[in-house]
Amino acid sequence: MTKKLNKNKQSKNTEIPYDFIATSKVVRIMFDPATADILAVLIYKHKYWEEEGKLEPYKGKIGFYISYSDIKEETGFSENIIKKRIKQLKKAGLIETAQQGLGKPNYYYLDINYIHEYIKDNEPAYEKWRLDVRNENAVPSVENSKKVESYLSGSEENDFQEYQNSPTTKNKNTKNKITNNLTNPINGVIEEDDLYDKQSELEDLIEKLKSIENAYPIEEEDYRQCINQIYDCLKAIVPKFKGFTMSEEDSKLIENMGRTSLYSPHMAGKITTNAKKIIRGDMESRFGSLLVGVSNMIHENEVRYS
């Protein structure tokens, strides 16, 4: 009997051979799950080296070194995805980085208090999103009752996640089904890495549009060319939009993105999320669906900082 008790006591003290990353739900919604996971790893590393008294000075900052391969080992994401998410976090002001040199790990500086403030400031946006999700699923319709939806940690998207069913597309021009795997070339679905390349390209184009918008006088030719480039980028995110022509309403929606102080990664991330929904058949296959919610984000940002 004693041996059995000792065995049970020992089993309780045995560590579970799995590691977990505690991510912020607010960051997951404001950006995406991959960005939240990578930020969580950087916060963990910062706190660990701080407790060990081994944060190092570099160019007037106190931080730590970590390589892309180390972040990949912690998260499972490809280096391509990690680089894009690091870029998003830098644009949002949540982290600062510096390159030591070729072949050496990058230096990272985190202002933990600023990150906490960012999360606190965006909690209302998260709560609104959470209530919207709850209301959407409160009374499921008969036609949607057979759909299987998977949510991880309250998030609607995940770089590893594959939805279980293959809902039919709402595009009346095709009878094909859109599978939930974003890497299916048969149905004209963009590859996952290509999707994030387009998201990064879109961020850069929005920033370019903002810079043209803020210049005086505005170079009208450059301005219209940039709007056309953004429209072409948006069409490329959803291959079935290839033959679409920009309407006046589409142009105004794009112009609004250049006139707001809202972070470009926030808008590009929302558009990418909408693109995935369109590809899965969960949103109507029209160009305007790509920008659903972006106008609200712009308005809420302007109200917040007005």
Side-chain angles (χ1 to χ4, degrees):
M1 184 71 175
T2 304
K3 290 183 178 179
K4 186 175 181 180
L5 288 173
N6 289 338
K7 185 177 180 181
N8 288 338
K9 185 177 180 181
Q10 183 180 1
S11 64
K12 289 182 180 179
N13 293 330
T14 302
E15 293 184 3
I16 300 174
Y18 300 101
D19 294 325
F20 296 90
I21 302 173
T23 64
S24 164
K25 291 182 179 180
V26 174
V27 178
R28 292 172 74 87
I29 298 309
M30 296 306 295
F31 294 93
D32 54 57
T35 305
D37 285 353
I38 290 167
L39 178 60
V41 166
L42 296 176
I43 292 173
Y44 168 77
K45 294 295 184 182
H46 175 94
K47 290 183 175 180
Y48 174 80
W49 291 118
E50 184 177 43
E51 290 172 0
E52 293 290 317
K54 294 183 178 179
L55 289 178
E56 299 186 29
Y58 186 83
K59 294 186 177 180
K61 302 286 187 179
I62 302 295
F64 59 96
Y65 299 95
I66 187 171
S67 66
Y68 289 133
S69 59
D70 287 336
I71 299 175
K72 179 179 180 180
E73 183 179 345
E74 294 284 350
T75 63
F77 296 123
S78 69
E79 186 172 315
N80 190 36
I81 288 176
I82 292 169
K83 287 181 178 179
K84 288 180 174 62
R85 296 324 194 277
I86 293 294
K87 182 179 179 181
Q88 287 190 2
L89 292 170
K90 287 174 65 177
K91 284 185 176 181
L94 295 175
I95 66 171
E96 293 182 38
T97 69
Q99 292 182 327
Q100 291 188 92
L102 189 63
K104 295 182 179 180
N106 287 345
Y107 176 87
Y108 291 84
Y109 166 75
L110 280 68
D111 185 336
I112 301 299
N113 290 331
Y114 179 82
I115 293 173
H116 287 165
E117 285 297 319
Y118 175 87
I119 292 172
K120 184 178 179 181
D121 288 345
N122 288 286
E123 281 177 353
Y126 166 73
E127 283 299 317
K128 181 180 182 302
W129 175 87
R130 185 179 65 82
L131 291 174
D132 287 344
V133 171
R134 179 172 292 185
N135 291 334
E136 286 175 4
N137 294 282
V139 185
S141 63
V142 175
E143 64 184 40
N144 290 331
S145 62
K146 294 183 180 180
K147 284 188 177 181
V148 179
E149 296 180 332
S150 300
Y151 293 96
L152 298 180
S153 303
S155 173
E156 62 182 3
E157 300 292 344
N158 189 289
D159 283 289
F160 288 117
Q161 184 177 2
E162 291 184 3
Y163 283 70
Q164 294 177 351
N165 273 356
S166 297
T168 56
T169 177
K170 296 179 182 179
N171 186 351
K172 296 180 180 180
N173 295 327
T174 178
K175 295 182 180 179
N176 293 334
K177 290 185 177 181
I178 300 296
T179 67
N180 295 315
N181 184 348
L182 293 179
T183 61
N184 185 348
I186 297 176
N187 292 315
V189 179
I190 192 168
E191 295 282 346
E192 187 78 4
D193 282 346
D194 290 342
L195 183 64
Y196 288 112
D197 284 340
K198 287 298 178 185
Q199 180 175 328
S200 181
E201 179 185 344
L202 180 59
E203 293 170 19
D204 293 338
L205 286 171
I206 295 173
E207 284 299 312
K208 179 181 177 181
L209 184 65
K210 286 183 178 183
S211 65
I212 296 173
E213 179 75 37
N214 292 328
Y216 184 82
I218 293 177
E219 294 291 339
E220 187 63 29
E221 184 177 348
D222 292 344
Y223 185 69
R224 298 316 308 178
Q225 182 182 32
C226 188
I227 288 176
N228 289 331
Q229 288 174 335
I230 291 175
Y231 186 79
D232 290 340
C233 181
L234 292 171
K235 288 195 298 180
I237 291 176
V238 182
K240 68 173 72 175
F241 290 171
K242 185 177 180 180
F244 283 20
T245 302
M246 181 165 50
S247 66
E248 185 177 347
E249 182 183 0
D250 297 335
S251 179
K252 287 181 179 179
L253 288 171
I254 294 173
E255 289 172 13
N256 287 338
M257 290 193 288
R259 294 168 181 165
T260 178
S261 61
L262 183 65
Y263 284 124
S264 301
H266 293 181
M267 292 184 281
K270 178 62 176 176
I271 290 168
T272 302
T273 297
N274 289 341
K276 290 181 179 181
K277 290 181 179 180
I278 295 169
I279 291 169
R280 290 199 308 267
D282 294 339
M283 291 184 77
E284 187 178 355
S285 295
R286 60 183 183 85
F287 183 83
S289 296
L290 272 176
L291 301 174
V292 167
V294 175
S295 295
N296 289 338
M297 291 172 63
I298 293 173
H299 174 70
E300 290 173 4
N301 179 75
E302 302 309 319
V303 169
R304 185 180 304 148
Y305 293 103
S306 61

